[in-house]
Amino acid sequence: MQTRIESLVARCQPGRSLPGDFYSGEEIYRLDVARVWRTGWLFAGHACEIPQPGDFFTIEVDTDPIVVVRGDGGAIHALHNICRHRGSLICTEPSGHVTRLVCPYHQWTYALDGKLLACRGMDEELDKGKFALHRIHTREVEGLIFISLAEEPAPFEPAFKTLAPLLKPQGFHRAKVARAVDYLVEANWKLVWENNRECFHCNVNHPQYIKANFDHYNADDTAPRVREEIAAVVARSEKKWAAAGLAATHKQTGMTLFPDARNHIWFSGNRTPLVDGWVTESMDGRQVAPLMGDYEEPDVGTLRVRTLPNFWNHSSCDHSVSTRLLPAGPQRTAIRVWWLVEESAVEGRDYDLAKLMPFWQLTSEQDWQICERQQRGVNSSAYTPGPYSTYKEYNVASFVQWYLQTLER
Ligand code: FES
Ligand SMILES: [Fe+2]
């Protein structure tokens, strides 16, 4: 007998977008939360946001409130942000600093690692050791914090091994957040990813992005002039940077292949050349902040990292832009975009938000609008799954395959 999930998956056709209820319905959204969001490794935030013991930020994964806090010894803890007494939220602010975690309801008090320290005179009646805050698996790779709600998550080690050497030169440990912007996008999280996984839409929708990048050209429309351009930029990158490990690793037009559904790989990173004359993803390609990390000159292309189900990052020589998705309902995704710069950079002196932000702010907001329009369309009774282009939407097909496999695991 087919299980419910098997029968849902059987309705999906390879090479086509998903049936409408996959993007809109409560039942499949609940399955997504259980099978994707409560099993995988989720990007939570940046370690540089909580530099001191007691610094914290909160996030919500669907209906699960979580606090991420730096402990007394410097370790980062992720805890369910709900009191073990009668379940109240504990930290009610998006971020802040505390010495202890105190529940606002009846003031049960927890250490930064979640241990219950005081329970307002109930000490005689209960064993405090049994009432610590529920802990969440936490791992950090080069200043990026990942958490997993799974009881036994998949090993993080393969992601760490791949990502650590790529991320290191960017210097996320020595970065600071110049600005973060929150969006509540009225679209299912999978539509947001599908949009991210193709640049078929870039030519018309992203006038800023296409000036700096090569990935909107695909194998079927890369003119000889473009091929020569990218070959020249790649050759220069290899000549300059091979020894330092900073040479371009994505050497052709089109988007790098991700995810790898066959091997169920949920993380990847690469260094991609920028169009000649552009040293950063800014409006005019000129540097907009001091060099970050280990970079000694600006001509290092872009570092791009992505992890399913909720993170991507584009880093240039002088700034880094992270995007985090969190599911907030069948047709709603909470998205945060961060702009990071070198930690000693001073706003107004070393960088100006009006120059730092527009490239990715415009590109991101263009995408959110696309996703919201698509959501309205797939909600229509007339919607039927449509075909993916082999040349331009291969990553969307892989994403859908990865997603369906994750549902069935
Ligand atoms: S619910 Fe937290 S102390 Fe009562
Ligand atoms: Fe886009």
Side-chain angles (χ1 to χ4, degrees), residues 83 85-88 103 105-108:
C83 185
H85 178 216
R86 279 166 53 204
S88 169
C103 177
Y105 201 173
H106 316 95
Q107 293 76 49
W108 277 31

Side-chain angles (χ1 to χ4, degrees), residues 195 201 206 367:
N195 168 264
H201 68 276
H206 295 315
D367 280 331

Side-chain angles (χ1 to χ4, degrees), residues 195-196 198-199 201-202 205-206 209 360 363-364 366-368 370:
N195 168 264
N196 175 270
E198 49 93 352
C199 216
H201 68 276
C202 292
N205 291 283
H206 295 315
Y209 183 85
W360 272 110
T363 303
S364 303
Q366 288 153 359
D367 280 331
W368 312 156
I370 290 170

Side-chain angles (χ1 to χ4, degrees), residues 215-275:
D215 45 6
H216 53 293
Y217 302 109
N218 293 278
D220 62 335
D221 60 8
T222 300
R225 175 190 62 79
V226 176
R227 203 166 293 125
E228 279 162 31
E229 262 178 49
I230 191 169
V233 178
V234 166
R236 187 178 70 214
S237 163
E238 285 175 342
K239 193 162 164 224
K240 267 189 180 173
W241 300 120
L246 296 175
T249 57
H250 183 59
K251 303 179 186 181
Q252 70 236 32
T253 56
M255 291 174 74
T256 184
L257 294 173
F258 179 77
D260 179 348
R262 259 178 331 171
N263 297 305
H264 211 79
I265 291 182
W266 55 273
F267 52 83
S268 83
N270 57 277
R271 195 168 281 281
T272 305
L274 289 168
V275 164

Side-chain angles (χ1 to χ4, degrees), residues 32-266:
D32 288 1
V33 169
R35 300 238 160 190
V36 179
W37 293 89
R38 294 211 178 110
T39 63
W41 283 101
L42 311 180
F43 174 72
H46 298 92
C48 69
E49 296 177 82
I50 47 171
Q52 301 300 328
D55 291 346
F56 73 88
F57 61 82
T58 55
I59 64 172
E60 253 171 70
V61 179
D62 183 52
T63 52
D64 289 351
I66 292 161
V67 56
V68 179
V69 58
R70 190 169 299 268
D72 290 317
I76 293 173
H77 307 288
L79 306 162
H80 282 281
N81 185 18
I82 56 160
C83 185
R84 291 298 308 279
H85 178 216
R86 279 166 53 204
S88 169
L89 266 192
I90 299 175
C91 296
T92 54
E93 299 295 325
S95 62
H97 178 87
V98 288
T99 49
R100 298 278 180 266
L101 299 165
V102 182
C103 177
Y105 201 173
H106 316 95
Q107 293 76 49
W108 277 31
T109 299
Y110 304 86
L112 299 176
D113 64 0
K115 203 179 301 145
L116 178 61
L117 299 174
C119 48
R120 288 276 307 280
M122 292 172 70
D123 303 63
E124 300 284 286
E125 309 163 44
L126 54 89
D127 174 357
K128 290 213 288 287
K130 292 196 172 132
F131 291 90
L133 297 181
H134 294 300
R135 291 178 66 80
I136 295 167
H137 297 276
T138 314
R139 290 294 307 265
E140 187 189 333
V141 53
E142 290 296 324
L144 306 183
I145 304 168
F146 287 83
I147 60 171
S148 179
L149 296 166
E151 268 175 43
E152 282 187 41
F156 191 77
E157 213 49 37
F160 186 91
K161 272 201 187 134
T162 298
L163 299 181
L166 278 163
L167 291 166
K168 188 170 175 302
Q170 195 68 34
F172 285 99
H173 286 296
R174 290 123 57 199
K176 72 163 191 182
V177 176
R179 188 63 174 271
V181 179
D182 287 309
Y183 300 93
L184 209 46
V185 176
E186 301 296 331
N188 181 271
W189 69 275
K190 298 189 290 295
L191 293 180
V192 181
W193 261 113
E194 291 176 17
N195 168 264
N196 175 270
R197 292 293 75 214
E198 49 93 352
C199 216
F200 193 14
H201 68 276
C202 292
N203 286 337
V204 170
N205 291 283
H206 295 315
Q208 296 79 21
Y209 183 85
I210 58 169
K211 281 192 202 159
N213 286 290
F214 288 105
D215 45 6
H216 53 293
Y217 302 109
N218 293 278
D220 62 335
D221 60 8
T222 300
R225 175 190 62 79
V226 176
R227 203 166 293 125
E228 279 162 31
E229 262 178 49
I230 191 169
V233 178
V234 166
R236 187 178 70 214
S237 163
E238 285 175 342
K239 193 162 164 224
K240 267 189 180 173
W241 300 120
L246 296 175
T249 57
H250 183 59
K251 303 179 186 181
Q252 70 236 32
T253 56
M255 291 174 74
T256 184
L257 294 173
F258 179 77
D260 179 348
R262 259 178 331 171
N263 297 305
H264 211 79
I265 291 182
W266 55 273

